[in-house]
C-alpha cells in the first residue's frame, strides 16, 4: 500500500483510483462495506481520509473520542487490500473548501479519481453543506462514478463508531469486536515506564493512550502483535489499562505483560487487541496482594485466550 499525505504533485501511477471516502475511525463493518463497494475492475482501490479527524480540528479541547490513531487505521486498511491511501491534512485550507472546491481541486485535479464510494450519511465541504446528492451531481459534471453505500446494522441497530465506543466504555470488547469485524486494538510505540512490573516479576510493555477514547479501565486478556524489531510476532498476554491506583494518581496508559516472553521491546511498535475484560482496577493492601492478583489475572487470561 502506498500512502500519500497531500493531493498535489502525485505521479500518474498514484492517480485514477476508485476511492472510498470518509474518516473510517475504527474501520468497522459499516466502513468495510463502503470499502468493498469501492472496488472496481481495472482500478486501484483507494481510501480518501483525513488527519487529524475533523472533529479534533474544530474542537481540540473536547474529550478524546477516537477509536484508532492514524497508525492503527493505516494497518487495518492495509489488511483490507487497499492500494492507495490518501491521508489528507485536515487544516485551515481543507476545512475552508466548499464541497464544489473539494471535488474540483482535490478529487479531480489532485487525485484524478475514477469512482467515489461513500456511506449514505456522508457530508463534506465547508459547513458540511455537501452531501451524497452534491457528490452525485459532481460526478456527472466531472466524469467520475459515484456509489452510495447503505448503512450496515448489527442486531437491529445501525453500526456506528458511537455504538462501539459505548460497548468499550462498558467493558464489552467482544460486542465491540462483533461490530468492528476485528478486535479493538491500541497501537503505538513502547515507552519507558517506572519498571515496577519488572521488579514484581511481571515486566510490561507500556504504551500511551492520549487522544483515544478510553475503554473501561481495568485488566484485559489481550493478543499482542509486535510489529517491529527482532521479536515480531503474535503473543498472548494480560494488560492493565488505567491509572495504577496502587502508585498514586497517574496519566492513563496501557501496560501489557506478554506470556512466555523475555525480549527487549523498548522503542518497538505494538498492536494490542482487547479480547476480554477481566476485572476493574483495584488498590491492594500491599504489593504481595497485588502480585497474587496479577497471577490470578494471568491464569484467567490464559484460559480465555486458550478458548479462542
Amino acid at each position: 500500500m502506498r500512502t500519500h499525505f497531500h493531493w498535489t504533485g502525485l505521479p500518474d501511477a498514484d492517480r485514477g483510483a476508485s476511492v472510498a471516502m470518509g474518516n473510517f475511525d475504527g474501520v468497522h463493518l459499516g466502513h468495510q462495506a463502503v470499502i468493498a463497494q469501492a472496488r472496481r475492475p481495472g482500478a486501484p482501490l483507494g481510501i480518501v481520509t483525513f488527519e487529524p479527524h475533523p472533529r479534533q480540528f474544530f474542537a481540540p479541547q473536547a474529550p478524546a473520542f477516537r477509536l484508532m490513531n492514524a497508525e492503527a487505521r493505516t494497518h487495518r486498511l492495509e489488511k483490507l487490500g487497499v492500494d492507495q491511501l490518501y491521508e489528507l491534512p485536515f487544516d485551515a485550507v481543507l476545512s475552508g473548501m466548499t464541497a464544489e472546491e473539494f471535488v474540483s481541486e482535490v478529487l479531480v485535479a489532485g487525485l484524478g479519481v475514477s469512482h467515489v464510494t461513500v456511506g449514505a450519511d456522508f457530508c463534506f465541504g465547508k459547513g458540511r453543506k455537501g452531501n451524497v446528492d452534491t457528490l452525485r451531481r459532481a460526478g456527472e459534471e466531472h466524469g467520475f462514478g459515484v456509489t452510495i453505500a447503505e448503512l450496515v446494522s448489527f442486531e437491529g441497530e445501525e453500526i456506528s463508531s458511537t455504538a462501539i465506543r459505548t460497548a468499550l466504555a462498558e467493558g464489552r470488547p467482544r460486542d465491540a469486536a462483533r461490530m468492528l469485524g476485528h478486535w479493538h486494538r491500541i497501537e503505538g510505540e513502547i515507552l519507558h515506564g517506572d519498571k515496577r512490573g519488572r521488579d514484581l516479576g511481571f515486566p510490561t510493555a507500556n504504551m500511551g493512550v492520549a487522544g483515544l477514547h478510553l475503554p473501561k479501565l481495568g485488566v484485559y486478556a489481550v493478543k499482542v502483535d509486535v510489529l517491529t524489531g527482532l521479536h515480531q510476532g503474535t503473543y498472548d498476554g494480560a494488560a492493565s489499562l488505567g491509572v495504577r491506583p496502587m502508585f498514586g494518581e497517574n496519566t492513563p496508559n496501557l501496560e501489557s505483560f506478554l506470556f512466555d516472553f523475555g525480549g527487549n521491546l523498548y522503542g518497538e511498535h505494538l498492536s494490542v487487541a482487547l479480547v476480554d475484560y477481566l476485572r476493574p482496577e483495584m488498590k491492594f493492601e500491599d504489593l504481595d496482594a497485588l502480585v497474587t492478583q496479577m497471577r490470578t489475572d494471568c491464569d484467567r487470561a490464559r484460559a480465555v485466550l486458550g478458548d479462542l
Side-chain angles (χ1 to χ4, degrees), residues 7 9 38 65 71 97 103-104 113-115 126 133 159 176 181 184 264 275 292 296 301 306:
W7 63 87
F65 67 93
E71 178 182 353
M97 287 185 181
V103 169
S104 62
V113 297
S114 58
H115 199 100
K126 186 176 181 180
D133 293 327
I159 291 178
H184 175 66
N264 184 349
V275 174
T292 297
T296 299

Side-chain angles (χ1 to χ4, degrees), residues 2-73:
R2 290 175 59 81
T3 302
H4 313 276
F5 301 101
H6 212 275
W7 63 87
T8 60
L10 297 179
D12 289 343
D14 294 327
R15 301 174 78 249
S18 174
V19 302
M21 187 160 58
N23 293 308
F24 300 110
D25 185 27
V27 195
H28 57 57
L29 289 175
H31 298 146
Q32 292 174 47
V34 175
I35 293 168
Q37 292 183 56
R39 296 182 184 277
R40 290 290 182 280
L45 174 61
I47 296 291
V48 176
T49 192
F50 310 96
E51 190 62 34
H53 192 293
R55 184 169 151 189
Q56 281 180 276
F57 176 80
F58 288 116
Q61 303 305 317
F65 67 93
R66 287 184 67 157
L67 293 168
M68 283 181 164
N69 59 21
E71 178 182 353
R73 181 177 61 190

